[in-house]
Amino acid sequence: MKQVICSTVFPLLCILLLFLCVEAQTCSPSGKIKGKTPPPGQCNQENDSDCCKDGKWYTAYKCSPPVSSQTKATLTLNSFERDGGGGAPSECDNQYHSDDDPVVALSTGWYNNGKRCLKYINIHGNGKSVRAKVVDECDSTMGCDSDHDYQPPCPNNIVDASKAVWKALGVLENDWGGMNIYWSDTN
């Protein structure tokens, strides 16, 4: 009888522990960055981007939520063109990209030290989907400096997308800027 109970309870206990471990895989902040007022004309506010505020503390992350077949994220708007909202050339290929191309930057954890560079992801939102190429990192670890156009660090759950992505999802231009989506790696 003891053997039957042990052989039944042990597997259930293992499944429970596995479930708790998966649930515990969250992403906690890695620190704070103190904002400072940007020099006049130095904060790029294209696409409704925020500028850092003097004395305000901004949360930084080295991680992002776990990736799944339906990873929840916030879609934001970015320009990857020269003189666009993204600032410097894209991290993956040191190139600028047309706003007419479906390209994205991923939060630091999802960018994964460049392991998703030039690979495609599927983005699902507004009842439609689009395939987009990862070309850049939306830095969740740093911000409020000249390298980051005096903008705060990126939240840890961002897919920062070109206008082409928003158009492909059929979102009205007045509604561009922030939208809940799901994304996944392509096969």
Side-chain angles (χ1 to χ4, degrees):
M1 180 72 167
K2 280 185 178 181
Q3 190 174 13
V4 171
I5 291 174
C6 287
S7 64
T8 305
V9 173
F10 183 71
L12 290 174
L13 188 58
C14 288
I15 291 170
L16 178 63
L17 286 173
L18 178 64
F19 175 77
L20 291 174
C21 289
V22 169
E23 286 296 307
Q25 289 181 359
T26 58
C27 176
S28 299
S30 59
K32 296 275 188 182
I33 294 170
K34 189 174 183 180
K36 51 188 167 218
T37 303
Q42 294 297 303
C43 179
N44 185 336
Q45 291 186 280
E46 184 178 338
N47 300 321
D48 296 325
S49 297
D50 292 329
C51 294
C52 292
K53 294 183 178 31
D54 195 41
K56 182 175 178 180
W57 290 94
Y58 297 93
T59 303
Y61 293 90
K62 292 181 181 174
C63 56
S64 292
V67 175
S68 69
S69 61
Q70 288 192 326
T71 307
K72 291 181 183 180
T74 300
L75 189 71
T76 55
L77 178 62
N78 190 17
S79 174
F80 296 85
E81 294 184 345
R82 187 181 302 276
D83 301 323
S90 296
E91 196 74 27
C92 292
D93 58 6
N94 201 35
Q95 301 291 315
Y96 292 99
H97 297 270
S98 169
D99 288 336
D100 295 326
D101 294 334
V103 294
V104 298
L106 297 178
S107 293
T108 296
W110 291 336
Y111 180 73
N112 197 12
N113 294 312
K115 290 187 175 92
R116 284 195 171 85
C117 269
L118 307 179
K119 294 183 180 172
Y120 287 87
I121 64 170
N122 292 315
I123 300 169
H124 307 276
N126 198 39
K128 297 186 178 188
S129 63
V130 62
R131 187 171 171 252
K133 186 191 292 188
V134 176
V135 297
D136 209 350
E137 173 184 15
C138 191
D139 197 340
S140 304
T141 65
M142 304 286 288
C144 300
D145 56 15
S146 61
D147 286 348
H148 298 89
D149 287 335
Y150 295 96
Q151 296 171 357
C154 198
N156 69 341
N157 65 337
I158 296 296
V159 175
D160 205 17
S162 66
K163 292 176 182 178
V165 170
W166 287 88
K167 287 177 184 175
L169 292 174
V171 179
L172 297 174
E173 195 167 339
N174 288 345
D175 295 330
W176 291 1
M179 181 174 83
N180 293 329
I181 55 125
Y182 292 98
W183 73 271
S184 62
D185 290 308
T186 60
N187 294 333

